[in-house]
């Protein structure tokens, strides 16, 4: 049984699956992995294409669309049950480049403190640009890719580096760590499940790193969809409430209120066309309404109680790998750059010694 299992969550991926499989076969030694595709009740023929393009693949089918987290967990559970040592999550629009596997496996084999390792991810088809050289996690839960759209030849990304979190588009998790802290949180459905699991790993004393010696490419396009806005905002708050210690939540509360007011104003102004501005505000309000359910607070309490015995690192240690700045090209604005970021840096400087 191979130590590495590659799990591909599949949903409307027909246009990508053949190229995904071809790049995997061309750039990976045969027999050095087990491939598992999870058909998340996809309306297209992604699963059939995977069977045709990669006959050795195991194809699992979910009875309903369980989101990115649920699809990945289906594959990871199967790998755990069948003796996997490491499991890789790989987006269906990923492209593998030569010698991507060995640096990651060698790194994990040599350092038991590593819970998650991400390769450098380039854009596809323009592989001269970076998609992610490790992801940044803001102290208020915002996540974004480090080095996004920077020139690969110019952006410094050298050596293994601890990161806020590893991108779920291409990441390898250590199975022993997953057995301890659990899998992706299916309550998230999609977005922030990758940052949440890395946060939980760091709490339990494991490192989450990027290794630029391994390189893959990703056909990524930044989305401004209304649905994405709802899930990102909802899950950002859920992640903070689950993972921060109570003292930290209290200390961050004034800064949180400042940012929330700013986000509501941002929603009203809108990055989208005017006809979507009202919808955008409704989605933000909907993200707050999610927390009006007593069942959600009961769930948060259970998750906090479950993770407490595993915690070996305090927030102050974990937050050393977080950032105070939003520095993502597709959401850059003078207000964020010249007002929100400086205020956040100043406030964090004032309170960090109390965390």
């Amino acid at each position: 049984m191979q130590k590495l299992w590659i799990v591909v969550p599949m949903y409307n991926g027909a246009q990508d699956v053949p190229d995904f499989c071809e790049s995997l076969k061309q750039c990976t030694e045969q027999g050095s992995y087990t491939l598992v595709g999870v058909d998340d009740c996809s309306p297209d023929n992604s699963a059939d294409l995977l069977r045709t393009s990669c006959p050795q693949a195991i194809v699992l089918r979910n009875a309903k669309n369980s989101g990115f987290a649920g699809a990945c967990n289906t594959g990871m559970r199967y790998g755990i049950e069948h003796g996997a040592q490491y499991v890789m999550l790989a987006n269906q629009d990923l492209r593998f480049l030569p010698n991507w596997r060995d640096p990651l496996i060698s790194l994990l084999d040599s350092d038991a403190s590593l819970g998650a390792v991400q390769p450098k991810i380039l854009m596809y088809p323009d592989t001269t640009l970076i998609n992610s050289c490790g992801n940044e996690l803001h102290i208020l839960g915002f996540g974004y890719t480090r080095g996004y759209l920077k020139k690969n030849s110019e952006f410094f990304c050298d050596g293994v580096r601890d990161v806020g979190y590893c991108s779920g588009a291409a990441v390898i998790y250590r199975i022993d760590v997953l057995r301890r802290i659990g899998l992706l949180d299916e309550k998230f459905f999609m977005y922030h499940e990758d940052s949440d699991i890395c946060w939980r790993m760091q709490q339990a004393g494991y490192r989450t790193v990027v290794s630029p010696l391994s390189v893959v490419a990703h056909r990524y396009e930044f989305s401004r969809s209304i649905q994405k806005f709802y899930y990102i905002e909802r899950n950002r708050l859920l992640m903070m409430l689950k993972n921060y210690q109570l003292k930290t939540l209290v200390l961050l509360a004034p800064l949180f209120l400042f940012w929330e007011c700013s986000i509501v104003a941002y929603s009203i102004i809108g990055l989208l066309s005017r006809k979507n501005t009202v919808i955008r505000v409704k989605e933000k309000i909907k993200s707050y309404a999610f927390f009006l359910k007593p069942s959600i607070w009961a769930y948060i309490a259970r998750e906090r109680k479950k993770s407490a015995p595993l915690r070996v690192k305090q927030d102050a240690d974990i937050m050393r790998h977080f950032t105070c700045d939003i520095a993502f090209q597709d959401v850059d604005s003078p207000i964020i750059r010249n007002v929100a970021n400086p205020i956040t840096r100043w406030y964090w400087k004032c309170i960090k010694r109390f965390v």
Side-chain angles (χ1 to χ4, degrees):
M1 191 63 65
Q2 296 304 323
K3 66 168 64 176
L4 175 65
W5 287 54
I6 302 174
V7 173
V8 191
M10 301 167 63
Y11 190 83
N12 280 346
Q15 63 179 332
D16 288 303
V17 169
D19 289 341
F20 172 97
C21 289
E22 184 60 27
S23 71
L24 182 60
K25 288 187 288 187
Q26 291 294 325
C27 299
T28 314
E29 181 183 354
Q30 295 297 315
S32 62
Y33 62 90
T34 299
L35 178 63
V36 179
V38 181
D39 180 5
D40 201 28
C41 204
S42 179
D44 70 2
N45 62 336
S46 300
D48 294 333
L49 280 172
L50 184 68
R51 288 186 187 278
T52 302
S53 303
C54 294
Q56 81 282 11
I58 299 166
V59 177
L60 308 176
R61 296 181 186 271
N62 282 343
K64 65 177 182 178
N65 183 354
S66 56
F68 181 82
C72 290
N73 283 353
T74 295
M76 289 195 288
R77 289 190 189 99
Y78 189 86
I80 291 171
E81 292 167 0
H82 289 80
Q85 185 175 349
Y86 308 123
V87 62
M88 179 181 192
L89 303 186
N91 272 18
Q92 60 196 9
D93 54 0
L94 207 66
R95 305 292 183 268
F96 296 88
L97 301 181
N99 195 37
W100 69 272
R101 176 191 178 276
D102 290 349
L104 300 179
I105 298 302
S106 296
L107 184 60
L108 284 162
D109 283 345
S110 66
D111 190 345
S113 73
L114 299 178
V117 181
Q118 176 201 313
K120 179 195 287 187
I121 306 174
L122 304 179
M123 298 294 288
Y124 183 86
D126 187 358
T127 55
T128 66
L129 301 177
I130 291 174
N131 176 200
S132 171
C133 197
N135 287 7
E136 301 282 11
L137 190 59
H138 191 271
I139 61 174
L140 293 180
F142 303 102
Y144 59 92
T145 61
R146 177 173 175 262
Y148 179 63
L149 294 185
K150 302 290 187 182
K151 285 284 188 182
N152 183 38
S153 59
E154 299 173 1
F155 184 76
F156 181 76
C157 186
D158 188 24
V160 176
R161 177 182 186 271
D162 288 89
V163 294
Y165 69 103
C166 298
S167 171
V171 58
I172 297 183
Y173 298 136
R174 187 186 297 276
I175 292 294
D176 287 348
V177 175
L178 297 181
R179 290 183 187 276
R180 284 196 66 202
I181 70 161
L183 304 180
L184 298 177
D185 188 338
E186 295 186 23
K187 188 73 73 176
F188 285 57
F189 192 74
M190 60 180 179
Y191 300 118
H192 277 308
E193 64 284 298
D194 51 357
S195 45
D196 173 72
I197 195 171
C198 284
W199 196 334
R200 288 187 280 125
M201 284 182 179
Q202 292 174 38
Q203 284 180 350
Y206 298 98
R207 296 170 61 202
T208 59
V209 304
V210 60
S211 174
L213 294 177
S214 172
V215 184
V216 298
H218 185 203
R219 195 172 65 82
Y220 173 84
E221 183 177 353
F222 181 69
S223 169
R224 301 183 189 275
S225 77
I226 293 295
Q227 186 183 41
K228 176 179 178 178
F229 182 69
Y230 162 70
Y231 279 112
I232 284 180
E233 283 302 289
R234 187 197 79 172
N235 293 345
R236 177 175 67 87
L237 304 185
L238 181 60
M239 179 174 63
M240 292 173 63
L241 290 168
K242 281 181 53 186
N243 295 316
Y244 269 136
Q245 294 172 291
L246 290 177
K247 179 178 69 171
T248 307
L249 287 171
V250 172
L251 289 168
L252 288 174
L255 185 64
F256 170 80
L257 291 174
F258 164 74
W259 271 92
E260 289 303 295
C261 291
S262 301
I263 292 169
V264 171
Y266 166 83
S267 302
I268 294 172
I269 296 170
L271 282 179
L272 305 178
S273 62
R274 288 186 180 180
K275 67 180 181 180
N276 287 322
T277 299
V278 173
I279 300 175
R280 195 177 185 87
V281 175
K282 286 182 177 179
E283 291 301 301
K284 180 59 180 171
I285 295 172
K286 182 181 172 183
S287 73
Y288 292 142
F290 177 78
F291 295 94
L292 296 178
K293 306 171 189 174
S295 60
I296 297 303
W297 288 98
Y299 171 77
I300 292 170
R302 288 196 302 271
E303 289 298 299
R304 293 179 65 86
K305 183 177 181 180
K306 185 167 65 175
S307 64
L310 300 175
R311 181 186 283 271
V312 300
K313 281 193 174 183
Q314 303 304 305
D315 286 348
D317 292 327
I318 296 170
M319 293 172 77
R320 290 188 300 108
H321 302 303
F322 291 4
T323 180
C324 293
D325 290 347
I326 299 293
F328 186 62
Q329 182 171 326
D330 280 333
V331 295
D332 186 37
S333 78
I335 294 176
I336 292 176
R337 190 170 57 251
N338 300 322
V339 180
N341 282 346
I343 288 175
T344 303
R345 288 195 297 269
W346 171 80
Y347 188 84
W348 174 241
K349 184 177 180 181
C350 293
I351 69 165
K352 66 179 181 180
R353 64 180 177 274
F354 302 110
V355 172

